[in-house]
Amino acid sequence: MNLFSVFDPSSFFGFHMNWVVMLFVFSFFMMKFYMISSSSQLVKGGIFDKINFMFVEISGSANLALVFVVVSTFMYLVISNLLGLFPFIFTSTAHPLITMSMGVIFWSSFFFMGWVKNFKESAAHLVPEGSPLGLAPFMVLIESISHLMRPFTLSIRLAANMMAGHLIISLLSSISMINLMSFSVSVFFQSILLILELGVAVIQGFVFSILLLLYCLEYY
């Protein structure tokens, strides 16, 4: 060995690995330097930007981390709702256990964050402005129940709406085997309901996400 032996080529299983280090440099660059966005990616990027801008307008530019959480929740719910419209795919958002878990976890996180960070302002929410002093204890009780019911109403609303559409479609499909006339009527109304369910899938994801954002801003 000599001083320059460290520069000798080394091999593993017959492959020379010395020059692989030249490729490692490119791993530190972002993928946008290597990839050209397709038309579908541009459309998806434009839709995501519009959705993100919509939530930023509501929450303000100072709460971008919160917007990221809400937008991610919105996209997850919309995709899950739309997947449930395909045959033989379980609609997870129609199950109360799934929606209840999401609603309770998100709401409790925002609720306790608000009470820990702004205890005085959070306590002031329990007594509406202008309420008589004598009714303050009752107002605290009523407002406390109202706040505790929020995760349940948030979750049940999503599950009930997703479940209702699927039940109606399944009921219509049960009459399709009677005769040809009933089959035609069943297919016609199922097609209309399927189109309506596409809108419901997006709207329910938006309602869940926007209420989640408003609750967090109230407790924040």
Side-chain angles (χ1 to χ4, degrees):
M1 295 182 60
N2 55 52
L3 183 63
F4 296 97
S5 63
V6 295
F7 299 104
D8 292 340
S10 58
S11 62
F12 297 91
F13 302 103
F15 295 97
H16 294 284
M17 307 298 293
N18 297 70
W19 307 110
V20 176
V21 70
M22 297 178 62
L23 303 177
F24 289 166
V25 178
F26 297 100
S27 63
F28 293 94
F29 291 93
M30 292 181 288
M31 291 299 296
K32 65 180 182 180
F33 289 102
Y34 316 121
M35 300 176 61
I36 299 176
S37 298
S38 63
S39 300
S40 60
Q41 289 176 327
L42 292 175
V43 171
K44 288 186 289 185
I47 294 174
F48 183 82
D49 290 339
K50 294 293 183 182
I51 295 172
N52 188 70
F53 177 74
M54 177 178 59
F55 284 105
V56 168
E57 278 190 325
I58 298 173
S59 65
S61 57
N63 301 311
L64 295 181
L66 175 60
V67 171
F68 174 77
V69 174
V70 175
V71 170
S72 301
T73 304
F74 171 75
M75 297 300 296
Y76 174 80
L77 290 176
V78 170
I79 294 174
S80 298
N81 293 343
L82 293 176
L83 285 176
L85 298 177
F86 289 92
F88 308 109
I89 296 181
F90 174 68
T91 309
S92 59
T93 50
H95 201 295
L97 181 63
I98 303 299
T99 57
M100 192 72 69
S101 300
M102 295 180 62
V104 171
I105 290 174
F106 279 121
W107 177 86
S108 58
S109 301
F110 298 150
F111 181 80
F112 288 113
M113 178 190 67
W115 278 90
V116 171
K117 187 176 181 179
N118 298 313
F119 179 82
K120 185 181 295 184
E121 294 182 5
S122 298
H125 283 302
L126 299 179
V127 182
E129 187 177 356
S131 301
L133 185 60
L135 295 177
F138 300 99
M139 296 303 298
V140 170
L141 179 61
I142 294 173
E143 289 294 323
S144 298
I145 296 175
S146 175
H147 283 271
L148 292 175
M149 290 298 294
R150 283 181 173 181
F152 300 100
T153 57
L154 188 68
S155 306
I156 297 301
R157 180 189 297 109
L158 174 60
N161 280 280
M162 296 308 301
M163 189 184 302
H166 289 72
L167 287 177
I168 296 174
I169 293 176
S170 63
L171 288 174
L172 286 172
S173 64
S174 63
I175 66 172
S176 61
M177 301 301 293
I178 299 176
N179 52 44
L180 183 60
M181 182 64 182
S182 63
F183 175 79
S184 302
V185 173
S186 176
V187 171
F188 174 73
F189 283 105
Q190 284 186 72
S191 302
I192 294 177
L193 280 174
L194 187 60
I195 296 173
L196 293 176
E197 282 297 301
L198 292 174
V200 170
V202 178
I203 292 172
Q204 289 305 314
F206 175 76
V207 170
F208 187 96
S209 303
I210 201 69
L211 288 176
L212 199 65
L213 177 60
L214 294 177
Y215 292 160
C216 184
L217 292 175
E218 183 178 346
Y219 297 136
Y220 186 69

